[in-house]
Amino acid sequence: MLAGRRAWAEVDLGAIRHNAATLAALVGPAGLCAVVKAGGYGHGSVAVARAAIEGGASWLAVALVEEGEVLRRHGIDAPVLLLSEPPVDAMGDVVALTLTPTLYTEEGVEAAAKAVVAAGAAPLSVHVKVDTGMHRVGASAEGALVVARSVADRPELVFGGLWTHFAVADDPSLPFTGEQCARFDAVVAHLGAAGLRPSLLHACNSAGALAFPAARHDLVRCGIALYGVAPSPAMAATDLGARLRPALSLRARVSYVKQVAAGEAVSYGLRRPLERAATVATVPVGYADGVPWRLGVTGGEVLIGGRRRPLAGSVTMDQILVDCGDDTGVLAGDEVVLIGRQGTEQITAWDWATKVGTIAYEILCGIGPRVPKLYA
Ligand SMILES: *Cc1c(COP(=O)(O)O)cnc(C)c1O
């Protein structure tokens, strides 16, 4: 850590290994694909990928070719699935890096095959994505047959997988995930009748893997659960959710402490005058680091000295202010926990998310690039 660094994220790779092993054991004989897009949900993709593989993951998945390149550059040789069809002009890189592209258009199939020929490379394994109701990306049920046939007909390509993605698996009470499963099974049967059999079938994200055992097929694609965070607050309260260990904590040190008189307010907007004189601690972490601005108006808290302490005013770009009440024992240099445990208290990514009206995913991905990561 650079001298003077006052805020950092601690990533517990033992927790990643534990979560990967827990998920792998749960879904076996299906395999585990560790989703490490977006810098491993703010945890660092390379370190998470290695820990996930140690824990039992056999596949990795990312959103972008660039993200796959980072994994390969760091010597990671596990299969890497690209979760959307890469741009046509990126297919050369896909082949050079031996990434596994997801395909759902004729142009994509053709570009992938051409890139293999141009590189004189061995046949490339590709996965075909069918849209069963989320309507983000993927071929229609009929389109998937055409794309799969086109893949199977080309000697440059191997039909390595067929997959789909759930829209509402994080609410297992909704019947639509069952509907998506039925549509997926129908496509699989349709392809099978046409002699098209991919090596792998997969459908589940974390929520699906946890709540829909029959949908696990050959592989589950887990992101959020790998990081020890449940896909929804309700799922966090289940037995399975409780077996996951949050890997990330966001920490800082108090940089400055002062006494502020009753009736004075602090930070931009001077929103809330103090009801009584208070010790106010300044902590050098702000919205540029991923602390949502809205936490300042919706009751955000941090932990100092093992106690919950409310924010005293608006979150600023680089700093927050904490109301320590009549506690004069808080000193510059004290450790502050924004997300994570201190003593018996804990603040989770979902605590923040529910306070500001978002999801834990966005909180984790929002941890800014100037927050260094320390691996333990
Ligand atoms: C991001 C993503 C996942 C992982 O989702 P989690 O809810 O984090 O487990 C799986 N599949 C696809 C297609 C994704 O885009």
Side-chain angles (χ1 to χ4, degrees), residues 55-115:
S58 49
W59 276 78
L60 302 169
V62 293
L64 307 178
V65 177
E66 295 90 312
E67 293 175 327
E69 192 273 333
V70 171
L71 298 175
R72 290 287 186 251
R73 177 154 35 90
H74 286 84
I76 293 171
D77 58 9
V80 175
L81 178 68
L82 296 169
L83 293 166
S84 290
E85 188 173 278
V88 161
D89 61 4
M91 265 338 156
D93 292 331
V94 170
V95 170
L97 296 162
T98 328
L99 306 175
T100 303
T102 288
L103 301 176
Y104 35 81
T105 72
E106 257 311 309
E107 300 77 61
V109 173
E110 195 179 318
K114 276 192 178 152

Side-chain angles (χ1 to χ4, degrees), residues 35 37 41 83 136 163 165 205-206 221-224 361:
V35 180
K37 62 191 174 184
Y41 290 39
L83 293 166
R136 183 169 62 174
W163 67 277
H165 190 46
N205 52 7
S206 295
R221 306 181 306 269
C222 290
I224 199 79
Y361 297 77

Side-chain angles (χ1 to χ4, degrees), residues 66-372:
E66 295 90 312
E67 293 175 327
E69 192 273 333
V70 171
L71 298 175
R72 290 287 186 251
R73 177 154 35 90
H74 286 84
I76 293 171
D77 58 9
V80 175
L81 178 68
L82 296 169
L83 293 166
S84 290
E85 188 173 278
V88 161
D89 61 4
M91 265 338 156
D93 292 331
V94 170
V95 170
L97 296 162
T98 328
L99 306 175
T100 303
T102 288
L103 301 176
Y104 35 81
T105 72
E106 257 311 309
E107 300 77 61
V109 173
E110 195 179 318
K114 276 192 178 152
V116 171
V117 172
L124 182 71
S125 179
V126 306
H127 288 201
V128 174
K129 163 101 194 270
V130 57
D131 174 16
T132 56
M134 169 134 167
H135 306 311
R136 183 169 62 174
V137 295
S140 65
E142 310 79 58
L145 186 65
V146 176
V147 173
R149 163 73 63 212
S150 175
V151 167
D153 282 350
R154 290 172 197 260
E156 301 87 2
L157 303 179
V158 176
F159 187 18
L162 178 79
W163 67 277
T164 194
H165 190 46
F166 295 142
V168 295
D170 59 323
D171 184 348
S173 72
L174 297 174
F176 193 66
T177 303
E179 172 65 26
Q180 287 197 267
C181 288
R183 293 178 187 176
F184 186 58
D185 292 346
V187 171
V188 172
H190 198 179
L191 263 62
L196 296 164
R197 288 191 183 76
S199 322
L200 296 174
L201 300 176
H202 50 107
C204 287
N205 52 7
S206 295
L210 295 175
F212 293 88
R216 287 172 189 154
H217 296 287
D218 301 309
L219 195 65
V220 299
R221 306 181 306 269
C222 290
I224 199 79
L226 178 69
Y227 304 98
V229 176
S232 69
M235 292 182 93
T238 63
D239 286 352
L240 277 175
R243 280 164 60 194
L244 302 171
R245 278 185 10 211
L248 181 137
S249 64
L250 182 61
R251 292 166 193 269
R253 291 199 181 280
V254 172
S255 60
Y256 187 65
V257 179
K258 85 239 60 152
Q259 302 300 315
V260 179
E264 294 285 308
V266 306
S267 195
Y268 290 124
L270 300 177
R271 286 164 192 280
R272 239 178 310 127
L274 294 167
E275 280 170 21
R276 48 185 69 109
T279 300
V280 174
T282 304
V283 183
V285 61
Y287 58 76
D289 303 300
V291 181
W293 181 87
R294 281 196 64 74
L295 273 184
V297 288
T298 55
E301 293 174 325
V302 302
L303 307 176
I304 304 176
R307 285 167 54 186
R308 303 181 90 91
R309 323 262 186 175
L311 298 186
S314 297
V315 173
T316 73
M317 189 180 292
D318 315 303
Q319 304 179 80
I320 56 173
L321 299 163
V322 180
D323 183 345
C324 300
D326 60 5
D327 188 347
T328 51
V330 175
L331 301 173
D334 284 359
E335 190 185 72
V336 182
V337 170
L338 294 107
I339 295 175
R341 278 184 191 282
Q342 197 182 51
T344 56
E345 293 285 349
Q346 181 179 24
I347 294 175
T348 67
W350 273 114
D351 289 336
W352 276 23
T354 46
K355 281 212 163 102
V356 304
T358 182
I359 53 177
Y361 297 77
E362 188 180 34
I363 298 293
L364 294 175
C365 296
I367 292 173
R370 70 182 182 178
V371 177

